[in-house]
Amino acid sequence: MSKTRLQIIPLGGLGEIGKNMTVFRYDDEIIVIDAGMAFPDETMPGIDIVIPDFSYLIENRDKVKAILITHGHEDHIGSLSYLLRDVKAPVYATRLTCGLIEGKLKEAKVNDADLHVVKSGDEFKAGSFKFGFFHVCHSIPDSCGIYLRTPVGTIVHTGDFKFDHSPVDGEQTDMYKLAELGHRGVLALCADSTNAQNPGYTPSEAVVAKSLMSSYADAKGRIILATFASNVSRIQMAVDAALAFKRKVCVFGRSMVNVVGIAREMGYLKAPEGTFIEPEELNRYRDDRICILTTGSQGEPMAGLSRMADGSHRQVQIHAGDTVIISASPIPGNENSVGRTIDNLMRLGAHVVTSHNTRVHVSGHGSQEDLKTMLSLVHPKFFIPVHGEYRMLCSHAELAESLGVKKQNILIGENGSVFELTNRSAKINGKVQAGAVFVDGLGVGDVGNIVIRDRQQLAQDGVVIVVIALEKGSNQVLAGPDIVSRGFVYVRDSEGLLTEAKDRIESILDRCEAGNVTEWNAIKTQIRDSLGKYFFERTKRRPMILPIIQEVK
Amino acid sequence: MSKTRLQIIPLGGLGEIGKNMTVFRYDDEIIVIDAGMAFPDETMPGIDIVIPDFSYLIENRDKVKAILITHGHEDHIGSLSYLLRDVKAPVYATRLTCGLIEGKLKEAKVNDADLHVVKSGDEFKAGSFKFGFFHVCHSIPDSCGIYLRTPVGTIVHTGDFKFDHSPVDGEQTDMYKLAELGHRGVLALCADSTNAQNPGYTPSEAVVAKSLMSSYADAKGRIILATFASNVSRIQMAVDAALAFKRKVCVFGRSMVNVVGIAREMGYLKAPEGTFIEPEELNRYRDDRICILTTGSQGEPMAGLSRMADGSHRQVQIHAGDTVIISASPIPGNENSVGRTIDNLMRLGAHVVTSHNTRVHVSGHGSQEDLKTMLSLVHPKFFIPVHGEYRMLCSHAELAESLGVKKQNILIGENGSVFELTNRSAKINGKVQAGAVFVDGLGVGDVGNIVIRDRQQLAQDGVVIVVIALEKGSNQVLAGPDIVSRGFVYVRDSEGLLTEAKDRIESILDRCEAGNVTEWNAIKTQIRDSLGKYFFERTKRRPMILPIIQEVK
C-alpha cells in the first residue's frame, strides 16, 4: 500500500445501529476504533447478540497497533472480548470504560488483555499514527471522541456524542479541542448519525433531572425506575433524586447490579454511605422511603421490570401506590413488549411515568443542530457519516452539504467499504469482508443463514417428521410410516389430515417398491413433494417436511 | 335476565388495537356492533390473522337481532365472514361499507348474507332496540357512529372517529346529532381510545392534502405513493394531486386494486375518465406523468412497495428520480420493516418522503382534545372507553374524569367483561368467554397455544430428532440411533457434538436393555432429559428434542 494513502474501513455501524467498529490503515499499520455488538432483530430468531465479522482484522492481526474505545456502551465494547481472542493489541480507553471492559473480559475469561487507561487530552503514538482523546457528552460518563494524526492528515471520529451545556457530571463536550483541530485542519470527519433525522437540538440531561425530581415529588409510595444498565448518568440522577426525597436505593437486574457496582467503586456514581440497601432490607422501610432501580426498560421478557409486571419477580410485587418510571425510549422493534409491560404494571395498580407523558428520557445522541455544530467546529475537507441506518447516513450527508461541504467530498459507504484518502482526494475503493456474526449461547458464528432460514420456516408453519424403517436390500417396509408434527396443526383436531398423509406416503412406498426405486433420496424427495403439496392444498401452510428412512439389517 | 338491565359485552378491542366487536344484550335480544380482525403480533409466528372468540354469540345465535358495522376497515369488518357462517342475522352498514363487505363475503364464499344499506340519519328497530347511524370523520368515507335506544337508556358508540373541520369529502362528524343525543340524555358512551395518550387535536386530512400537493410539485420523475388500501380518503387525495399535476394513476397490490375498484364503482373515489391506466400502459408515459399507488406502507415483505424496494417487483423498477411517498405511519412493531424498505428505496436512488420529514400522514383517530369534545357533546352518565390497549383506556378514563364524569361511573374492562347497566347504575358483573382465535391458512382456531408455543421453541433453538428402530419384544436396537437436526447448529461444524449425543443415547439404550426397561415413554424421557442437559451444557441452547421409537416386528 502506498505511503500517500490512508484507508478507513468500517466493519460495523454503517447501515445499522450498533456493533460499531472502524479500522484505520496506513501502510502496514492498523488502528481500530471501537469493538461493539448489536442486538438481533426479528429476522434472527434465537440469536443472543450480533458481532461484526472481523475476518479482515484476523487476517491482518500483526498489523494492529492499537484498539481505541470511545466509551463503555455495549455497542462500542461488546465484541472486544471476541476480538481479543484472535487479535492481541493494546486497548486504550478512559477509566470508567476500562472498568466496564475489565468486567466483561473477566466474564469472558480473557485474562491477557493489555489495557491502557487514558484521560481526555492525552495523546499517544502507535507506529506512524498519533491519536488523542477528547471528552464528549453522552449518556455515560467518560465518553470520548478520538482524533488520529496520520501522515496523510488528521481524522476526527466523534464516537457517540451530543452537546450538553448542563451535563450531569459537569463535563461538557470539548468544543475548544474540536475548534482547535478544525482550525489546524481536519482531512476527514467520521460522525455519529443516529439522530440525523431529528430536527433541532437534543435536550440536556438536566431536563430529565428536573422531570425526575417532580415525578419523585408526586410519588406517594415506592418508586421503581427502569433504565439501561449502562446509562450511568441517568442512574446518578435517579440516585440524586432518591437522596433529595430521603429514599433508600435498591438495585435489581444482573447488568444493573454489575454496572452500578463498577461505577460506584470507581467513583463515577456518587452517593453517601448508606444510600444503597440490599433486597432483603426492603421490608424494613416504608414504601415512600424506597427507590428501586431495575433493568427491563425495553420490555425484555427476562429482565427485572417485565418480571415485576407479570408478577413473576421473586422480590418485588407491584401494588397500588407504586410509581414506575421508565426512563428510556423503546428501541424500534421493542414498542410492543414495552407496551405490554406498561399495561401489566397499570393492571396491578401502578402509576406509570414514561417519556410519552413526561420528559423522563432524552437521547444521548445529537440531533441535526448538534450535528451541524460539530461539522462547523471541525469543518473537515471530507465527511463520512457513520453510526446509523442508511437513511440516517443520507440525512447526515444532506446536513453536511447544506453547510457547504462539497457533495463529492461526502462519502456514504457500507460495512466493509474501503474509504481511501490522500491529502487531497477521497473515494471508496473496493471492499473487504464484513457482515454479521451471530452469537447463540456458546456458539460464535456456528449459526449461519441456513440455520436462521430453518428457524424461520419452523416458526412459520412448524415441522412434520416422517419416519420409515426399511429392510436393507429388499426395501420392504418394516415399520412406519409414522408421522410426528410440531407447530403445524393441533394434532387432536387433525387426525383425518395425518391419516390421509400416511396413505399418500404408503402409496409412494408401494410404487417405489414396485418400480424398484432403491435410491432413498429419491423416495425422500417424492415424500417431501407429495406431502408439501397435499398439506398446502388442505391447510395453505408449508411446514418443513423431514422424511427419515432407517435401514434395518 | 331482568328487564331492567342492559348488558354491554366487548368481545374484542379492549386491551388491544383491532378485532373490534361489542355485544349489547337486553333480555333475550342481542345487537352486535362491528366484527373486526387484528394482525398477529411477534408472539404469534405463522399466524395470518386473529379474530375474536365469539363463542358467546354462537351459543346465543338465536338472540342476535342485528349486526351493525360502523365502517369498512378490516379491524371492523374482517371477522364478519367467519361470524356469518355460524350466526345468521341481518347486517346494517352504509353503502361503501356494504360494498367492501360484499367483496370480502364473496371471497369467503358466504353467499346468504342479509345486507342492509343504511344512511347517516337513518333509524331502525330490532326487537326492543332502536338504533341509528350518525356520520363521523375517519380515514375512510361513509364512517358512522351508532346510537342504541334501549328500554334502559340511550347508548352511544362512537366507532373510530375524529373531528375534522375540513374533511376530504366535505362530510363532518355530525356534531348536531351528538349534541342532540347528549341533550336528550345518554346513559353510556363507548368511545374510541386509540389516540387517548396523544395530547392536542388530530390535524385535518386537509393538512395532508397540502403536503401531498407540495411533494407532487417537487417531484421531477415518477411518484410512487404507498398507503393503506382501505384509506379511501387518502387515495382520493393522491388521485386529486395526480390530476392537478397531469399524472396518470396506476394501481398495484391486490387489496389496493380491489378497494379502488369498489370505491370507484360506487362513486366514493372520484376521478374523470382516463385518469387510471393499466400497468402495461406505464411505458407509454413520461416519468413525470406517472403516479403509482401501491400497498406496502408497513413494509410487509410480500406487498408492492417492499417488492419494489428489494428489486423483486415484476412491473416497477425503482430508479433515480423516483419520488416515493409513504403516506402512513408505521404500526408499532413494523418500524424495522418500514425502515428497511425506506433504506432499500434510497439505495436505489429514490427520494423518499415519509411522515418523519413531511406531513404526508395524519391519524384517523381523535386525540385528547377530540375525545374531550366528544365527551362534552354526549355528556354521558356512564363512560366505557373502548378500542385501545389498557394504557389507552386508562388515559381515556382520566380524560373523562378531568371533564367531571364521576370516577365510579367510568368502567374499564377487558374482552369478555359484562358491563351491566340499569338506568341509574353500572358495574362489571362477570365475564363471558372471549379471546383470540388464530387463522392460519385455511385453519380457523386449529392453531392454539400449544402449537404457538412449539413454533416459538422451534424458532428459538430449532429441533433435534432422534430415531431408533427397536425389535418388538426383545427391545434390541435394529437401526439407529439416527440424529437429524434443523435450526439448531450448523451440522458441518458440529460433528463432534452430534457424535457424543449419539454415544449418550446408545448408553441409555444399553442401560434400558440391561435394566429391562420396556416402557418406551420412559426411554424417550431419558433421552430427552439427557440430550437436553448435554446440549445446554455444550451450547447454552435448548432445542426441541423429539425421540421417535419405531417398533419392528
Side-chain angles (χ1 to χ4, degrees):
Chain A
M1 203 180 134
S2 151
K3 291 215 174 188
T4 59
R5 283 180 297 167
L6 173 79
Q7 291 182 335
I8 303 178
I9 310 171
L11 292 180
L14 261 64
E16 65 182 342
I17 294 287
K19 69 176 172 71
N20 300 295
M21 176 179 261
T22 315
V23 172
F24 299 81
R25 177 171 178 174
Y26 173 76
D27 197 16
D28 270 352
E29 298 166 352
I30 283 176
I31 298 278
V32 181
I33 293 186
D34 288 331
M37 51 147 278
F39 290 104
D41 68 26
E42 71 280 8
T43 66
M44 309 167 191
I47 299 304
D48 298 328
I49 67 165
V50 182
I51 61 173
D53 176 347
F54 35 67
S55 315
Y56 177 78
L57 288 178
I58 297 176
E59 279 161 31
N60 293 286
R61 69 180 87 195
D62 298 335
K63 304 188 181 77
V64 180
K65 300 297 168 202
I67 301 166
L68 320 181
I69 306 291
T70 57
H71 64 282
H73 280 162
E74 291 288 1
D75 51 338
H76 295 258
I77 68 170
S79 62
L80 186 58
S81 63
Y82 300 92
L83 180 65
L84 289 178
R85 289 178 197 171
D86 294 307
V87 177
K88 305 295 172 199
V91 176
Y92 294 80
T94 54
R95 216 173 127 250
L96 176 61
T97 309
C98 278
L100 293 165
I101 289 173
E102 273 170 357
K104 289 193 72 75
L105 294 182
K106 208 169 150 184
E107 225 174 277
K109 302 198 173 72
V110 176
N111 304 314
D112 58 347
D114 176 20
L115 281 186
H116 298 251
V117 176
V118 307
K119 286 197 310 291
S120 165
D122 286 352
E123 198 173 286
F124 301 85
K125 202 172 174 316
S128 315
F129 289 96
K130 278 186 192 149
F131 57 88
F133 291 75
F134 56 90
H135 187 267
V136 296
C137 292
H138 186 46
S139 41
I140 184 166
D142 250 12
S143 292
C144 282
I146 291 168
Y147 62 87
L148 298 176
R149 298 197 196 281
T150 78
V152 177
T154 299
I155 313 292
V156 173
H157 190 300
T158 65
D160 290 353
F161 80 98
K162 70 179 186 182
F163 290 102
D164 188 337
H165 303 296
S166 46
V168 190
D169 59 4
E171 298 282 333
Q172 298 186 1
T173 295
D174 190 347
M175 296 179 76
Y176 173 74
K177 186 73 201 175
L178 288 166
E180 194 211 27
L181 286 164
H183 181 71
R184 291 168 67 175
V186 169
L187 182 66
L189 171 68
C190 303
D192 174 15
S193 311
T194 308
N195 278 349
Q197 295 190 292
N198 293 16
Y201 285 96
T202 299
S204 167
E205 283 284 320
V207 173
V208 176
K210 222 168 150 180
S211 300
L212 286 185
M213 283 296 187
S214 96
S215 296
Y216 275 53
D218 293 344
K220 303 274 179 288
R222 292 185 300 186
I223 287 170
I224 295 146
L225 185 139
T227 190
F228 289 106
S230 60
N231 196 333
V232 177
S233 312
R234 193 65 52 75
I235 295 171
Q236 179 71 64
M237 287 193 270
V239 171
D240 290 347
L243 287 166
F245 290 94
K246 300 193 169 50
R247 289 173 183 263
K248 296 290 178 187
V249 178
C250 188
V251 182
F252 286 94
R254 206 175 63 93
S255 57
M256 183 76 92
V257 169
N258 189 20
V259 171
V260 166
I262 292 171
R264 278 181 68 196
E265 204 172 290
M266 302 184 74
Y268 287 92
L269 186 58
K270 295 178 185 71
E273 199 69 24
T275 304
F276 289 88
I277 59 171
E278 294 299 316
E280 49 276 16
E281 297 175 83
L282 273 173
N283 55 13
R284 287 196 222 150
Y285 295 89
R286 268 176 21 208
D287 279 4
D288 61 353
R289 290 286 165 264
I290 291 172
C291 172
I292 288 169
L293 302 184
T294 180
T295 53
S297 63
Q298 297 300 310
E300 313 91 316
M302 302 310 290
L305 190 65
S306 319
R307 284 174 24 230
M308 295 175 196
D310 67 19
S312 68
H313 198 279
R314 276 185 304 134
Q315 291 136 314
V316 182
Q317 283 80 42
I318 298 294
H319 52 66
D322 287 341
T323 297
V324 176
I325 303 172
I326 302 183
S327 186
S329 284
I331 293 171
N334 293 348
E335 291 83 357
N336 285 332
S337 53
V338 174
R340 275 193 296 269
T341 302
I342 295 171
D343 287 344
N344 287 338
L345 291 165
M346 290 176 76
R347 286 195 176 97
L348 293 170
H351 174 59
V352 183
V353 180
T354 68
S355 56
H356 207 95
N357 50 30
T358 318
R359 200 123 217 198
V360 289
H361 178 71
V362 297
S363 174
H365 301 269
S367 302
Q368 290 180 347
E369 297 306 317
D370 302 79
L371 302 182
K372 286 184 195 168
T373 303
M374 179 60 80
L375 276 157
S376 292
L377 283 169
V378 178
H379 59 85
K381 189 173 178 105
F382 299 105
F383 177 57
I384 302 173
V386 296
H387 297 187
E389 305 278 1
Y390 190 74
R391 57 195 177 280
M392 300 162 191
L393 304 180
C394 291
S395 282
H396 206 172
E398 273 172 36
L399 285 182
E401 210 185 327
S402 77
L403 297 188
V405 183
K406 283 185 205 149
K407 197 178 172 118
Q408 68 269 30
N409 286 5
I410 303 169
L411 301 176
I412 297 180
E414 53 190 1
N415 292 334
S417 292
V418 178
F419 296 81
E420 205 160 76
L421 288 85
T422 68
N423 59 6
R424 53 200 302 167
S425 72
K427 61 176 177 193
I428 294 178
N429 189 11
K431 205 167 169 353
V432 306
Q433 183 173 335
V437 170
F438 299 144
V439 179
D440 182 3
L442 296 180
V444 179
D446 66 334
V447 170
N449 289 334
I450 297 173
V451 174
I452 291 290
R453 264 202 306 274
D454 282 347
R455 287 183 184 175
Q456 287 166 343
Q457 194 191 350
L458 290 166
Q460 202 58 30
D461 287 319
V463 61
V464 175
I465 302 148
V466 177
V467 191
I468 306 155
L470 294 183
E471 190 175 46
K472 194 180 160 84
S474 81
N475 261 13
Q476 209 198 314
V477 176
L478 296 179
D482 294 324
I483 300 182
V484 175
S485 86
R486 286 291 185 281
F488 171 44
V489 289
Y490 196 49
V491 177
R492 220 192 312 167
D493 302 342
S494 312
E495 273 179 32
L497 184 78
L498 298 180
T499 310
E500 187 169 337
K502 208 170 158 172
D503 291 347
R504 286 181 177 238
I505 300 164
E506 276 165 357
S507 51
I508 289 171
L509 293 172
D510 289 347
R511 263 181 283 133
C512 286
E513 218 186 326
N516 259 323
V517 179
T518 53
E519 178 49 64
W520 288 3
N521 279 334
I523 301 177
K524 285 183 183 179
T525 303
Q526 281 192 45
I527 291 174
R528 213 178 284 120
D529 292 350
S530 166
L531 287 197
K533 217 176 131 197
Y534 169 65
F535 287 141
F536 186 73
E537 264 166 25
R538 284 283 306 270
T539 66
K540 293 272 179 274
R541 295 176 203 169
R542 300 186 189 282
M544 180 184 285
I545 296 166
L546 288 178
I548 302 173
I549 298 179
Q550 287 200 300
E551 186 184 53
V552 176
K553 286 170 200 166
Chain B
M1 200 181 137
S2 150
K3 293 218 174 188
T4 60
R5 285 181 298 168
L6 174 79
Q7 290 182 336
I8 303 179
I9 310 170
L11 293 180
L14 261 64
E16 65 181 343
I17 294 287
K19 73 177 171 66
N20 299 296
M21 173 179 263
T22 317
V23 173
F24 298 83
R25 177 170 177 173
Y26 173 77
D27 198 18
D28 271 353
E29 297 165 354
I30 284 175
I31 299 277
V32 181
I33 293 185
D34 288 331
M37 53 148 275
F39 291 103
D41 69 27
E42 70 282 8
T43 67
M44 309 166 189
I47 299 303
D48 297 329
I49 67 166
V50 182
I51 60 173
D53 176 347
F54 36 68
S55 314
Y56 177 79
L57 289 178
I58 297 176
E59 279 160 31
N60 294 287
R61 69 180 87 195
D62 299 335
K63 303 188 182 74
V64 181
K65 300 297 168 201
I67 300 166
L68 320 181
I69 305 291
T70 57
H71 63 281
H73 280 164
E74 292 288 359
D75 52 336
H76 294 259
I77 67 171
S79 62
L80 188 58
S81 63
Y82 300 91
L83 180 66
L84 290 178
R85 289 177 196 172
D86 293 307
V87 177
K88 305 295 172 197
V91 177
Y92 295 79
T94 53
R95 215 173 128 249
L96 176 62
T97 310
C98 279
L100 293 165
I101 289 172
E102 274 171 354
K104 289 193 71 75
L105 294 181
K106 207 169 151 186
E107 222 173 283
K109 302 201 173 67
V110 176
N111 303 314
D112 58 347
D114 177 19
L115 280 187
H116 298 252
V117 176
V118 307
K119 284 199 309 294
S120 164
D122 285 354
E123 197 172 285
F124 300 87
K125 205 174 171 315
S128 314
F129 289 95
K130 277 185 193 150
F131 57 87
F133 290 76
F134 56 90
H135 187 266
V136 295
C137 292
H138 186 45
S139 41
I140 184 168
D142 249 13
S143 292
C144 281
I146 291 168
Y147 61 90
L148 298 175
R149 298 197 196 282
T150 80
V152 177
T154 299
I155 313 292
V156 173
H157 191 299
T158 64
D160 290 352
F161 79 98
K162 70 179 186 182
F163 290 102
D164 188 337
H165 303 294
S166 46
V168 190
D169 60 3
E171 297 282 332
Q172 297 186 1
T173 295
D174 190 347
M175 298 180 76
Y176 173 75
K177 186 71 199 176
L178 287 165
E180 194 212 29
L181 287 163
H183 182 72
R184 291 167 69 174
V186 169
L187 182 65
L189 170 67
C190 302
D192 174 17
S193 311
T194 308
N195 278 350
Q197 295 190 294
N198 293 15
Y201 286 97
T202 299
S204 167
E205 283 284 322
V207 174
V208 177
K210 223 168 147 180
S211 299
L212 287 184
M213 282 296 188
S214 94
S215 296
Y216 277 54
D218 294 344
K220 304 276 179 286
R222 293 184 299 185
I223 287 169
I224 295 148
L225 185 140
T227 189
F228 289 107
S230 60
N231 196 332
V232 177
S233 311
R234 193 63 53 77
I235 295 171
Q236 179 72 64
M237 285 193 273
V239 170
D240 289 348
L243 288 167
F245 290 93
K246 300 195 169 47
R247 288 173 184 264
K248 296 290 177 186
V249 178
C250 188
V251 183
F252 287 93
R254 206 176 63 92
S255 57
M256 184 75 90
V257 169
N258 189 21
V259 170
V260 166
I262 292 171
R264 278 181 70 195
E265 204 172 290
M266 301 184 76
Y268 287 91
L269 185 59
K270 295 178 187 73
E273 198 69 25
T275 304
F276 289 88
I277 58 170
E278 294 300 316
E280 50 275 18
E281 296 175 85
L282 275 173
N283 55 16
R284 285 197 226 150
Y285 295 89
R286 266 176 23 205
D287 279 4
D288 63 353
R289 290 287 164 264
I290 291 173
C291 173
I292 288 169
L293 302 183
T294 179
T295 52
S297 64
Q298 296 301 307
E300 313 92 316
M302 302 309 292
L305 190 65
S306 320
R307 284 177 20 234
M308 294 175 198
D310 68 19
S312 67
H313 197 280
R314 276 186 302 134
Q315 289 135 317
V316 182
Q317 283 79 42
I318 299 293
H319 53 66
D322 287 341
T323 297
V324 176
I325 303 172
I326 302 184
S327 186
S329 284
I331 294 171
N334 292 348
E335 290 82 358
N336 284 333
S337 52
V338 175
R340 275 193 295 268
T341 302
I342 294 172
D343 287 343
N344 287 339
L345 291 166
M346 289 175 77
R347 285 195 177 98
L348 294 171
H351 174 60
V352 184
V353 179
T354 69
S355 57
H356 207 95
N357 49 30
T358 319
R359 201 123 217 197
V360 289
H361 177 71
V362 298
S363 173
H365 301 270
S367 302
Q368 291 181 345
E369 297 306 318
D370 302 79
L371 302 182
K372 287 184 192 169
T373 303
M374 178 61 79
L375 277 156
S376 292
L377 284 168
V378 178
H379 59 87
K381 190 175 177 100
F382 300 106
F383 176 57
I384 302 174
V386 296
H387 297 186
E389 304 279 1
Y390 189 75
R391 56 196 179 278
M392 301 163 191
L393 305 180
C394 291
S395 282
H396 205 173
E398 273 172 36
L399 284 182
E401 210 185 327
S402 77
L403 297 189
V405 182
K406 283 184 204 151
K407 196 178 172 120
Q408 66 269 29
N409 286 6
I410 302 170
L411 301 176
I412 296 181
E414 52 189 2
N415 292 334
S417 291
V418 179
F419 296 82
E420 205 161 76
L421 288 85
T422 70
N423 59 7
R424 51 200 302 166
S425 73
K427 62 175 177 194
I428 293 178
N429 190 10
K431 203 166 167 3
V432 305
Q433 182 175 335
V437 170
F438 299 144
V439 179
D440 181 5
L442 296 179
V444 180
D446 66 335
V447 171
N449 290 333
I450 298 174
V451 174
I452 290 290
R453 264 202 307 275
D454 282 348
R455 286 183 186 176
Q456 286 166 345
Q457 195 191 348
L458 289 167
Q460 203 58 31
D461 288 320
V463 61
V464 175
I465 302 148
V466 176
V467 192
I468 305 155
L470 293 183
E471 191 176 45
K472 194 180 160 90
S474 79
N475 260 14
Q476 209 201 314
V477 177
L478 297 178
D482 293 325
I483 300 182
V484 175
S485 85
R486 286 290 186 279
F488 170 44
V489 289
Y490 195 49
V491 177
R492 219 189 314 166
D493 302 340
S494 313
E495 272 179 31
L497 184 79
L498 298 179
T499 309
E500 187 170 335
K502 207 169 160 180
D503 291 346
R504 287 180 177 238
I505 300 164
E506 276 166 356
S507 53
I508 290 173
L509 292 172
D510 288 346
R511 262 180 285 131
C512 286
E513 215 186 327
N516 257 325
V517 179
T518 54
E519 178 49 67
W520 288 3
N521 279 334
I523 302 177
K524 285 183 184 176
T525 303
Q526 282 192 43
I527 292 174
R528 215 179 280 120
D529 292 351
S530 165
L531 287 196
K533 220 177 127 199
Y534 169 64
F535 286 141
F536 186 73
E537 265 166 26
R538 284 282 307 268
T539 66
K540 294 273 179 272
R541 297 177 201 167
R542 298 187 189 281
M544 179 184 283
I545 297 166
L546 289 177
I548 302 172
I549 298 179
Q550 288 200 300
E551 187 184 51
V552 177
K553 284 170 199 164

